Amino acid sequence: MDELIVLLLFCRVVCPVLHSLEYFYITSCQVPNFPEFVVVGLVDDVQMFHYDSNTQRAEPKQAWMSKVTADDPEYWESQTAVCVDKETLQRSNIETAKQRFNQTGGVHVSQQMFGCEWDDETGDIKGFHQSGYDGEDFLVLDLQTLTWIAPVPQAVLTKHRLDPNTAHSERWKRYLTKDCVHWLKKYLDYGKNILNRTILPSVYLLQKSPSSPLSCYATGFYPNRAQMFWIRDGEEVHEGVEPGQILPNHDGSFQKSVDLDISSIRAEDWQTYKCVFQLSGVKEPKVTVLDHKRIRTNWGRPRPDDGEFPAGRVMGGIAVLLILVVCIVAFYRWRRNHHGEGHRCVQHLDYMKTGGI
C-alpha cells in the first residue's frame, strides 16, 4: 500500500474508540402510517430496544438482548410499563409544545435523546440529554452547571420551571454519568460476539446524472467506526468534496458515502484520484480508483463484472417507520456532535417520569 496513504490514515485515525448507549423518544401527531410514540435504544449505534404505541410492548431488536432476563426476569415487563407511562407524558408534552408555538394542527414531531459515551481505554465518560421539536433544538441539559439551556423562547418557561429542581437535575446527572455506563457495559458484554465483529464493506462509485457529483458509497460494514475520504497523489482532497454521515442499514450494518465534484477534473487526471475507506481495527484500507468504467449511473447499465449492487441492503429498510426513525436518530446525533454541545432495569428509562414540558 502507498506509504502516503498509510501516513494520511495515521494522522486521521487518532480519535479514541467510544462506546455509546442512547435512547430516543419520538412523539408525533398526524404522521400517516407512523406510531404516535416510539422508543428506540441503541448500543454502539446498533438498535437493541424498541417500543411503539401500536404494539405497546418493549421488545428486543437483537438476539443477544434476551440475556438481560437472566439478570432480571421482569426486564421487558418493567420496560413496557415505563414506556406506557412515558407515552402519556410525551403526548401531553407535544400538545403543550403546539400551544407554545401557536399551532392548531398539521404534522409535528417531538424528540428526546439521552445517553452516555464511554472510552474503554481512558475511562472517560460523557453524558448528554437534549430535546427537540419539529427538527429544532428545544432544551439541553448542561451537566457542568446542572441547568437547562433554552435555545428557543418557547422553552424558557420550561427552563425556569426545571432549573430550581436541582434534585431532578442531579438524578439525571447520576444516571447519565454512572447508571447509563453501568448498563452500557452490561449490554456490551451481552452482545460482545456480535458487537466485536468486523465486516468489510462493498464499495461503489455512483452518479445520479452526468452533472451530479460522484459518490463513493460504502455499505455493509461493521462496526461504525470508519474513515472515508478522497485523495489525489497521496494527499487528501478537500475542494469539491462533501462527506456524508455514517448511517445504519436495516440489517445492523452501516453505510457511508463521500461525494466528489468531478466536473472540473480532466479525463487524463482521473486515475490520480482514489477513494479511501478505512475500518477501525483493520490494517489495510479499501482503495477505489476513480475510473469511469466502474461508475454506476441511472442512465447506463453497470459493467457485468462489477457484481450486483446490493439494492436489498439499502432498499429493504424502506418503510415509513424505519426511515423516519433513522433520520431522526442520525440528525440528532449530528446536532449533538457538531454543537458540542445497579438499580432495577426500569430505572434507566425512568428518569424522565418527573416533569414534562
Side-chain angles (χ1 to χ4, degrees):
M1 184 177 62
D2 194 312
E3 288 80 1
L4 289 174
I5 297 180
V6 174
L7 178 60
L8 188 56
L9 286 170
F10 177 78
C11 294
R12 288 179 60 98
V13 188
V14 293
C15 57
V17 176
L18 299 176
H19 297 288
S20 62
L21 174 60
E22 300 169 289
Y23 286 97
F24 294 81
Y25 294 158
I26 305 167
T27 313
S28 62
C29 60
Q30 297 188 30
V31 178
N33 303 315
F34 189 78
E36 292 186 346
F37 181 64
V38 178
V39 179
V40 177
L42 301 98
V43 172
D44 286 357
D45 288 340
V46 175
Q47 185 181 354
M48 49 74 179
F49 181 101
H50 179 88
Y51 170 92
D52 66 62
S53 53
N54 289 347
T55 64
Q56 293 195 320
R57 290 290 306 171
E59 299 174 331
K61 298 299 289 184
Q62 301 294 328
W64 47 264
M65 274 297 288
S66 61
K67 299 178 182 178
V68 72
T69 54
D71 293 332
D72 184 352
E74 304 300 322
Y75 178 90
W76 294 108
E77 287 74 13
S78 63
Q79 294 303 290
T80 295
V82 171
C83 290
V84 169
D85 184 64
K86 288 305 304 173
E87 181 179 340
T88 301
L89 177 60
Q90 294 304 312
R91 287 176 186 266
S92 174
N93 282 350
I94 199 169
E95 291 302 318
T96 302
K98 288 167 61 178
Q99 295 176 16
R100 297 265 186 94
F101 285 88
N102 195 28
Q103 299 164 336
T104 56
V107 173
H108 301 286
V109 180
S110 172
Q111 314 90 19
Q112 286 188 347
M113 178 187 73
F114 60 91
C116 56
E117 292 178 344
W118 169 61
D119 187 325
D120 64 0
E121 293 183 358
T122 66
D124 291 342
I125 295 170
K126 178 183 178 182
F128 46 88
H129 176 282
Q130 68 185 80
S131 62
Y133 182 71
D134 284 352
E136 297 294 334
D137 291 339
F138 185 84
L139 203 65
V140 181
L141 174 60
D142 186 335
L143 285 177
Q144 300 300 317
T145 63
L146 289 184
T147 57
W148 297 82
I149 301 170
V152 293
Q154 291 85 351
V156 172
L157 182 61
T158 306
K159 168 184 168 58
H160 289 165
R161 183 175 59 79
L162 291 179
D163 276 351
N165 191 350
T166 55
H168 177 251
S169 300
E170 286 285 358
R171 288 196 300 271
W172 264 117
K173 182 177 182 178
R174 184 175 70 249
Y175 167 70
L176 295 174
T177 59
K178 296 184 183 298
D179 297 347
C180 179
V181 178
H182 167 77
W183 284 106
L184 171 57
K185 293 178 180 179
K186 273 184 172 289
Y187 298 145
L188 289 172
D189 184 59
Y190 294 151
K192 58 186 176 183
N193 292 336
I194 300 298
L195 297 174
N196 292 337
R197 74 193 191 279
T198 298
I199 303 176
L200 291 174
S202 298
V203 180
Y204 303 89
L205 298 180
L206 308 176
Q207 192 176 26
K208 294 180 181 178
S209 69
S211 60
S212 299
L214 181 79
S215 179
C216 184
Y217 173 73
T219 185
F221 63 87
Y222 189 91
N224 67 336
R225 297 183 290 273
Q227 300 279 353
M228 194 174 186
F229 50 94
W230 284 96
I231 63 172
R232 183 188 182 190
D233 294 331
E235 295 186 2
E236 184 174 357
V237 179
H238 297 284
E239 185 176 356
V241 173
E242 184 67 31
Q245 296 292 310
I246 295 178
L247 299 173
N249 288 320
H250 72 283
D251 60 1
S253 65
F254 296 92
Q255 59 175 286
K256 180 176 174 59
S257 64
V258 55
D259 292 350
L260 174 67
D261 183 358
I262 60 174
S263 60
S264 60
I265 300 178
R266 299 180 304 176
E268 58 267 29
D269 293 334
W270 274 42
Q271 294 290 321
T272 64
Y273 286 82
K274 299 176 182 178
C275 174
V276 180
F277 177 92
Q278 178 67 59
L279 187 63
S280 176
V282 177
K283 184 178 180 180
E284 296 289 334
K286 294 197 71 169
V287 180
T288 304
V289 177
L290 180 56
D291 183 351
H292 73 278
K293 294 180 180 179
R294 300 189 62 178
I295 298 176
R296 296 171 177 271
T297 70
N298 287 342
W299 67 91
R301 296 178 61 86
R303 288 167 53 87
D305 57 347
D306 282 343
E308 180 182 357
F309 183 74
R313 172 172 283 141
V314 181
M315 303 299 290
I318 296 188
V320 174
L321 174 59
L322 180 59
I323 290 177
L324 186 53
V325 169
V326 167
C327 288
I328 290 174
V329 169
F331 174 75
Y332 264 83
R333 184 176 295 111
W334 181 88
R335 290 291 289 269
R336 174 167 60 83
N337 292 339
H338 287 74
H339 290 76
E341 30 117 307
H343 297 65
R344 282 185 57 83
C345 299
V346 66
Q347 290 188 328
H348 73 265
L349 282 175
D350 201 33
Y351 279 83
M352 284 300 292
K353 293 183 71 172
T354 59
I357 292 181

